[in-house]
């Protein structure tokens, strides 16, 4: 009874706080009507907002348009902007204390801010001007309208201050870091080599060059064995904290996970497959957008030179997803391999030197002082000094000497630390008149790794991967390599040679984080890709489609057919059919169509069973801790493991801890016995009554209350959710055998029909305005759950008709 009373009191406190906020007028902010002074504009700008609070900006020239975008973004997302800046600059602990320290150590260690400052100085005058206009708009709101700032800033420990171009470039570098997975993938691959030896470990390498599940042929692997395998002995285990935790790196596997960790689907269909006769671009970026109001900022941009509507990332001017007057475009993560770990040899007798070839060089050393909020420290803050060593390749990221003789360290080389500057590309996307110009524009994007699909009104469709990826002398970026005087990076893949295609005969192009390289590719773009099940399902539907509509594409975005399950179900049913105690499972799985429905038991059984079989297959040789860490990165092993399942007598299924020779049958039965006991303990003995949605749920949170009493009231309570990692309607759970709460999901769904000049149709997993209790903080969630798309207006008459508020940003007379 006492717990109930405490809970009710907590809810009363939260409700009272909410009432105070509402009565104080907090929820009504920001001010979006009347005339607002804006020192820095050259002419008045009109901002109209529709029934969901989406702003449509009308300016008399492009500089004022981008200034106004910065201003409007700050109005709705200043808390998010300051949080991103704190995270990206390694100053999160200064606001939130100890919880932000892991993030700050990692960000400072890799030099994210340092790299961004260098890059900002090298940008072209036009790129700096473009970013500068946006910064002027943000700063006008911060400095001229401080009375309109949200109370969340102060409650969370953030303080709004003026933005510089380097701050904005820092956010772009943060997006780059969020997209990157390679350095941890290299360590996990090295972990396999440490545990198994190169020859046996290589049998588990990602099948990037094998036949994909769709049957697309790949060239033979060209990655050589490590030059000196013994040089890396135990490095991965120590780095990842497996075994002796005292040797774990600062940037360990438990470091802060960026909120922009990304996946996604996109596709474009030609007019020949569209009912309206014009191409259609479809996109649903998969992000962890559970913190309201979400990540994307929808906006309409209108000036004499620009007509565009779509979604922007706060702190980045322009839009990344949407359309202009002539072209439409959408993005997924391309996973370009832009990072390498190098095994550096310490100079004999000189622990402060390393060998570059046969030459001993001193480490470059710098100190980073991290400020940590601490109520018990004098002045409310304490400091931690991080001493960082660098080689010619990059920062030393291992916390202690490694290897059998303790004479090795690991350095991290990143393309983002060596970018030559130039353009940013996003500005030219707004001006592109056709697919050729859009293709040229995105090729200028060097710091972010996206798969763009695009189309123009003339009917051309295309795809291009962006970013800069090195051409490696060693031919591989899959695991750490010994450092050498001879540079392993020979050049960068030419932008026009990055993965891409134009107007294929089949009439559609799609990407789903899979390997998009052509069969005859000559460049090693990456070895880290999603299994091809989502793109297989997308292709299955689009190949059969003729005159598609927006509604058809919206249905495909909500598709929950699991192609992996469809491939593996015959095998699983055979393994359990007639086995005493598992007759009910065999019946449930044999009747399952592969649709991952929250109200059915099949997905619950399948998911638990699949992960447990994988664990039981590898735990004997890797050990529990290492197996779990490796298996938590599904892109590294899943496609290869699914191939192994077709070889039930493979040596991988033999448990080396026993004298018997096990096959898949014994391993699967062992796994099933453990899973059945676990699920019966949770949900009872009747498997037909189990439900996937009992574990597979999604929860949306207010940024200031992610746990504890009031969480559901301020955010949105956990809700059972269809789909899984492998469905087009993605519902990705991070981690391994650690629960099925949804982490990564469709942060936005959008369909741009180039035959429809009135609107694009889209929905956010949240809303537009970040302020607690605001009407537009989470007002798109109901539509999002229902799979409904909302109009984001493109036609000026429609915008005028649908406007619910009007505001004039007025220049200040000099």
């Amino acid at each position: 009874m006492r717990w109930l009373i405490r809970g009710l009191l907590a809810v009363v406190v939260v409700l009272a706080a909410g009432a105070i906020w509402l009565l104080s007028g907090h929820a009504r902010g920001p001010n979006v009507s009347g005339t607002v002074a804006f020192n820095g504009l050259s002419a008045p700008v009109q901002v109209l907002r529709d029934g969901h609070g989406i702003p449509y900006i009308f300016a008399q020239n492009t500089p004022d348009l981008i200034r106004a975008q910065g201003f409007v973004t700050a109005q709705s997302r200043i808390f998010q902007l300051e949080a991103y800046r704190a995270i990206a600059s390694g100053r999160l602990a200064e606001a939130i204390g100890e919880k932000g320290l892991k993030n700050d150590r990692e960000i400072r260690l890799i030099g994210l801010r340092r790299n961004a400052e260098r890059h900002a100085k090298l940008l072209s005058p036009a790129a700096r001007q473009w970013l500068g206009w946006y910064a002027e708009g943000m700063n006008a709101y911060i400095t001229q309208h401080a009375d309109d700032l949200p109370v969340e800033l102060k409650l969370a420990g953030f303080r709004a201050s003026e933005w510089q171009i380097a701050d904005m470039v820092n956010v772009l570098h943060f997006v780059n870091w969020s997209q990157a997975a390679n350095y941890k993938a290299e360590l996990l691959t090295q972990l396999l080599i440490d545990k198994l030896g190169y020859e046996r470990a290589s049998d588990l390498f990602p099948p990037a060059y094998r036949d994909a599940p769709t049957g697309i042929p790949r060239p033979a692997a060209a990655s050589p064995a490590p030059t000196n395998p013994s040089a890396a002995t135990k490095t991965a285990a120590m780095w990842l904290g497996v075994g002796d935790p005292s040797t774990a790196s600062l940037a360990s596997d438990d470091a802060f996970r960026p909120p922009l960790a990304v996946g996604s689907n996109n596709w474009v269909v030609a007019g020949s497959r569209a009912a309206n006769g014009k191409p259609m671009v479809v996109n649903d970026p998969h992000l962890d957008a559970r913190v309201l109001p979400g990540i994307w900022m929808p906006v309409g941009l209108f000036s004499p030179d620009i007509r565009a509507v779509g979604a922007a990332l706060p702190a980045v001017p322009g839009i990344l997803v949407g359309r202009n007057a002539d072209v439409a475009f959408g993005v997924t993560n391309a996973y370009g391999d832009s990072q390498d770990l190098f095994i550096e040899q310490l100079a004999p007798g000189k622990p402060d030197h390393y060998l570059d070839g046969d030459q001993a060089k001193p480490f470059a050393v710098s100190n980073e002082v991290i400020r940590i909020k601490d109520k018990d420290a004098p002045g409310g803050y304490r400091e931690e000094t991080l001493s960082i060593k660098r080689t010619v390749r990059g920062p030393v990221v291992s916390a202690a000497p490694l290897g059998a003789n303790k004479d090795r360290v690991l350095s991290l080389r990143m393309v983002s630390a060596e970018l030559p500057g130039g353009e940013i590309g996003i500005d030219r996307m707004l001006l592109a008149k056709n697919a050729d110009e859009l293709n040229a524009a995105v090729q200028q994007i060097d710091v972010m790794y996206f798969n763009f699909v695009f189309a123009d009104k003339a009917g051309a469709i295309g795809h291009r991967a962006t970013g800069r990826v090195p051409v490696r002398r060693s031919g591989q970026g899959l695991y750490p390599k010994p450092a050498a005087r001879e540079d392993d990076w020979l050049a960068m893949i030419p932008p026009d040679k990055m993965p891409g295609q134009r107007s294929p005969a089949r009439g559609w192009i799609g990407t789903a984080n899979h390997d998009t390289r052509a069969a005859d590719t000559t460049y090693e773009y990456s070895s880290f890709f999603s299994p091809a099940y989502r793109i297989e399902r997308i292709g299955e539907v689009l190949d059969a489609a003729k005159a598609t509509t927006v509604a058809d594409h919206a249905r495909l975005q909500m598709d929950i057919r699991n192609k992996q399950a469809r491939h593996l179900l015959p095998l699983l049913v055979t393994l359990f059919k007639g086995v005493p105690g598992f007759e009910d499972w065999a019946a449930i799985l044999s009747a399952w169509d592969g649709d991952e429905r929250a109200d059915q038991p099949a997905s619950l059984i399948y998911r638990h069973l699949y992960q447990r079989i994988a664990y039981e297959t590898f735990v004997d040789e890797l050990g529990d801790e290492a197996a779990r860490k490796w298996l938590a990165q599904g892109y590294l092993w899943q496609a290869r493991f699914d191939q192994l399942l077709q070889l039930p007598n493979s040596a991988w299924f033999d448990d080396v801890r026993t004298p018997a020779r096990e096959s898949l049958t014994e391993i699967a039965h062992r796994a099933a016995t453990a899973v059945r006991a676990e699920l019966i303990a949770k949900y009872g003995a009747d498997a037909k009554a189990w439900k996937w949605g009992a574990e597979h749920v999604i929860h949306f949170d207010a940024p200031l209350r992610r746990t504890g009493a009031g969480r559901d009231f301020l955010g949105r309570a956990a809700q059972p959710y269809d789909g899984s990692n492998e469905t087009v309607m993605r519902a990705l759970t991070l981690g391994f055998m650690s629960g099925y709460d949804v982490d990564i999901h469709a942060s936005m769904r959008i369909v741009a029909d180039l035959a429809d000049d009135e609107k694009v149709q889209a929905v956010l997993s949240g809303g537009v305005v970040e302020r607690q209790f605001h009407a537009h903080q989470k007002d798109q969630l109901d539509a999002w759950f229902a799979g409904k798309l909302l109009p984001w207006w493109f036609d000026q008459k429609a915008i005028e008709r649908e406007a619910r508020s009007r505001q004039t940003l007025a220049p200040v007379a000099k």
Side-chain angles (χ1 to χ4, degrees):
M1 179 61 71
R2 279 183 294 180
W3 67 266
L4 178 60
I5 295 173
R6 286 197 298 268
L8 290 173
L9 287 174
V11 171
V12 169
V13 170
V14 170
L15 290 172
I20 292 170
W21 278 14
L22 286 167
L23 292 172
S24 70
H26 168 78
R28 294 196 299 271
N31 175 23
V32 295
S33 61
T35 299
V36 175
F38 185 158
N39 187 13
L41 289 177
S42 65
V45 173
Q46 302 297 319
V47 183
L48 281 63
R49 289 175 169 85
D50 66 13
H52 288 284
I54 298 173
Y56 302 88
I57 305 170
F58 294 86
Q60 298 177 36
N61 56 72
T62 296
D64 281 352
L65 178 67
I66 302 307
R67 291 184 183 111
Q69 186 188 6
F71 186 94
V72 165
T73 302
Q75 279 182 307
S76 295
R77 299 290 183 91
I78 188 63
F79 177 91
Q80 187 178 31
L81 286 166
E82 293 301 335
Y84 283 0
R85 176 159 60 172
I87 293 168
S89 59
R91 296 182 61 183
L92 187 60
E94 191 172 323
I96 69 172
E98 189 75 23
K99 290 181 179 179
L101 188 54
K102 284 183 178 180
N103 169 78
D104 292 358
R105 286 171 174 167
E106 180 168 308
I107 294 299
R108 302 288 187 99
L109 179 67
I110 65 174
L112 202 69
R113 176 72 188 195
R114 171 193 179 109
N115 297 340
E117 290 176 349
R118 172 195 168 277
H119 189 196
K121 292 175 182 177
L122 297 174
L123 290 175
S124 72
R128 290 182 60 83
Q129 186 179 55
W130 178 263
L131 295 171
W133 292 333
Y134 190 91
E136 289 171 22
M138 289 191 293
N139 293 339
Y141 179 72
I142 291 168
T143 61
Q144 299 169 37
H145 300 279
D147 59 342
D148 197 41
L149 294 174
V151 69
E152 284 95 336
L153 278 174
K154 184 175 181 180
L155 291 176
F158 296 121
R159 181 178 63 86
S161 60
E162 292 191 54
W163 281 64
Q164 307 299 321
I165 291 174
D167 294 319
M168 300 169 67
V169 177
N170 198 183
V171 172
L172 294 175
H173 279 246
F174 172 62
V175 173
N176 168 284
W177 185 245
S178 299
Q179 292 178 303
N182 183 257
Y183 85 100
K184 289 184 179 178
E186 286 191 35
L187 287 164
L188 288 164
T189 304
Q190 185 64 54
L191 179 64
L192 290 185
I193 296 171
D194 291 346
K195 292 281 187 178
L196 305 172
Y198 178 81
E199 292 301 325
R200 187 150 171 76
S202 65
D203 192 38
L204 298 178
F205 288 176
Y209 300 101
R210 302 175 187 268
D211 286 348
T214 49
I216 300 171
R218 301 294 181 207
S223 299
T227 304
N228 180 8
S230 64
T233 300
K234 305 301 181 186
T235 59
M238 289 191 285
W239 166 281
L240 292 167
V242 179
D244 181 2
S246 67
T247 58
S249 163
L250 292 174
S252 72
D253 192 54
D254 296 322
F256 179 82
R257 178 171 54 83
L260 294 180
V262 287
S264 310
N265 306 315
N266 62 14
W267 62 88
V268 55
V269 296
S272 61
R273 290 190 180 273
N276 287 335
K278 295 288 186 182
M280 303 170 75
V281 171
V282 187
N283 196 190
D284 51 305
H286 304 155
L287 305 168
D288 186 352
R290 292 172 296 165
V291 177
L292 296 168
I295 289 172
W296 297 100
M297 177 68 190
V299 66
L301 301 170
F302 302 91
S303 73
D305 299 321
I306 293 171
R307 289 184 65 236
V309 65
L313 286 175
V316 181
I319 59 174
L320 278 174
V321 178
R323 66 164 294 183
N324 67 19
D326 302 293
V327 299
F329 40 87
V331 299
T332 67
N333 192 6
Y335 288 108
D337 185 352
S338 62
Q339 304 171 350
D340 274 344
L341 285 165
F342 288 91
I343 304 166
E344 306 274 2
Q345 171 72 56
L346 296 178
K350 295 182 177 181
D352 57 347
H353 285 62
Y354 66 98
L355 294 180
D356 188 24
D358 58 359
Q359 182 180 354
K361 291 185 176 180
F363 289 105
V365 181
S366 62
N367 291 325
E368 291 278 345
V369 178
I370 301 174
R371 199 163 181 244
I372 307 156
K373 188 175 183 179
D374 185 346
K375 62 181 179 61
D376 296 326
Y381 295 91
R382 59 184 170 86
E383 292 182 346
E384 175 181 293
T385 300
L386 192 64
S387 182
I388 300 171
K389 296 180 178 180
R390 290 184 176 83
T391 74
V392 293
R393 282 159 285 274
V396 172
V397 290
S398 48
L402 305 170
N405 298 318
K406 304 296 184 184
D407 58 353
R408 308 288 202 279
V409 294
L410 288 175
S411 67
L412 175 64
R413 187 176 184 184
M414 302 186 297
V415 170
S416 60
E418 303 176 20
L419 291 171
E423 308 303 324
I424 57 173
I426 301 170
D427 51 344
R428 289 184 58 189
M429 291 166 57
L430 294 180
L431 301 169
K433 300 295 185 185
N434 52 52
D436 287 337
E437 291 186 9
L438 195 285
N439 185 33
V442 301
Q443 287 182 40
Q444 292 186 333
I445 298 175
D446 56 7
V447 74
M448 295 184 291
Y449 294 82
F450 289 122
N451 282 308
F452 277 90
V453 297
F454 49 87
D456 64 26
K457 280 196 161 186
I461 65 174
H463 157 241
R464 178 66 66 191
T466 68
R468 297 294 177 262
V469 174
V471 178
R472 295 170 170 87
R473 186 186 305 274
S474 63
Q476 69 87 15
L478 187 59
Y479 44 78
K481 63 201 77 177
R485 186 72 177 272
E486 195 174 45
D487 194 351
D488 190 55
W489 290 8
L490 301 175
M492 295 292 154
I493 300 175
D496 63 348
K497 301 299 182 185
M498 296 283 272
Q501 57 178 305
R502 291 291 295 278
S503 298
R506 67 184 178 181
W508 69 271
I509 302 169
T511 78
N513 316 122
H514 68 294
D515 188 353
T516 62
R517 293 171 296 175
D520 60 351
T521 184
T522 57
Y523 293 106
E524 172 79 3
Y525 179 74
S526 182
S527 57
F528 190 84
F529 299 109
S530 169
Y533 299 116
R534 280 181 289 129
I535 195 62
E536 183 181 356
R537 176 58 177 163
I538 291 167
E540 181 178 61
V541 174
L542 294 182
D543 280 339
K546 300 296 183 185
T548 61
T549 64
V550 170
D552 292 328
H553 293 287
R555 278 192 293 273
L556 181 51
Q557 288 179 316
M558 299 293 289
D559 189 276
I560 56 173
R561 177 64 53 88
N562 182 339
K563 293 299 294 185
Q564 180 204 43
R566 295 294 297 168
H567 287 304
L568 297 182
L569 274 174
L571 171 67
L572 294 177
V573 171
T574 299
L575 285 171
F576 294 102
K577 194 170 184 178
V579 177
F582 291 99
E583 296 89 347
D584 53 348
W585 282 24
I588 289 169
L589 292 176
S590 63
W592 185 33
D593 60 5
D595 284 1
E596 304 237 44
R597 293 181 289 270
D599 62 353
Q600 299 295 318
S603 290
L604 183 70
I605 296 170
Y606 175 79
R607 285 283 150 197
H608 276 273
L609 184 59
Y610 177 81
Q611 289 201 348
R612 189 73 189 202
I613 291 173
Y615 174 79
E616 295 292 347
T617 299
F618 299 114
V619 68
D620 58 324
E621 294 181 71
L622 296 181
D624 176 75
E625 196 173 4
R628 288 176 183 270
K629 286 184 178 291
W630 182 57
L631 292 169
Q633 284 287 351
Y635 285 10
L636 283 179
W637 61 270
Q638 190 176 330
R640 178 59 181 141
F641 181 66
D642 291 357
Q643 292 175 344
L644 290 175
L645 288 173
Q646 309 303 320
L647 304 170
N649 293 315
S650 167
W652 287 108
F653 297 118
D654 179 40
D655 188 340
V656 299
R657 300 168 299 185
T658 72
R661 172 65 186 254
E662 289 84 3
S663 68
L664 172 61
T665 300
E666 287 77 29
I667 295 300
H669 290 173
R670 181 191 301 174
T673 300
V675 168
R676 188 175 186 86
E678 177 186 349
L679 294 180
I680 287 175
K682 288 181 178 179
Y683 308 117
D686 184 3
K688 294 188 295 296
W690 298 345
K691 297 184 187 303
W692 175 223
E695 296 189 10
H696 196 248
V697 299
I698 190 166
H699 203 154
F700 291 93
D701 298 317
L704 297 181
R705 194 64 174 174
R706 301 204 65 186
T707 59
R711 176 190 184 189
D712 292 349
F713 172 72
L714 296 178
R716 181 157 177 150
Q719 183 166 328
Y721 199 56
D722 292 341
S724 73
N725 297 9
E726 305 308 332
T727 55
V728 177
M729 192 185 86
R730 198 120 184 253
L732 175 63
T733 300
L734 299 174
F736 182 80
M737 288 172 55
S738 56
Y740 291 96
D741 282 7
V742 176
D743 298 306
I744 308 296
H745 57 278
S747 58
M748 168 181 61
R749 303 187 191 103
I750 184 170
V751 181
D753 181 354
L754 285 173
D756 184 356
D757 283 338
E758 184 185 50
K759 61 189 176 298
V760 301
Q761 297 191 55
V763 68
L764 301 173
S765 63
V768 175
V769 182
E770 65 193 356
R771 303 188 187 208
Q772 191 65 55
F773 301 115
H774 195 283
H776 301 313
Q777 186 201 31
K778 52 184 176 182
D779 59 325
Q780 296 188 40
L781 267 178
D782 285 342
W784 182 85
F785 273 108
K788 179 182 177 182
L789 300 179
L790 307 172
W792 293 6
W793 303 105
F794 189 59
D795 176 71
Q796 186 168 351
K797 289 182 180 179
I799 294 170
E800 291 280 354
R801 182 187 70 233
E802 299 295 332
R804 298 297 180 268
S805 69
R806 299 169 184 270
Q807 186 170 61
T808 299
L809 306 181
V812 176
K814 295 182 180 179

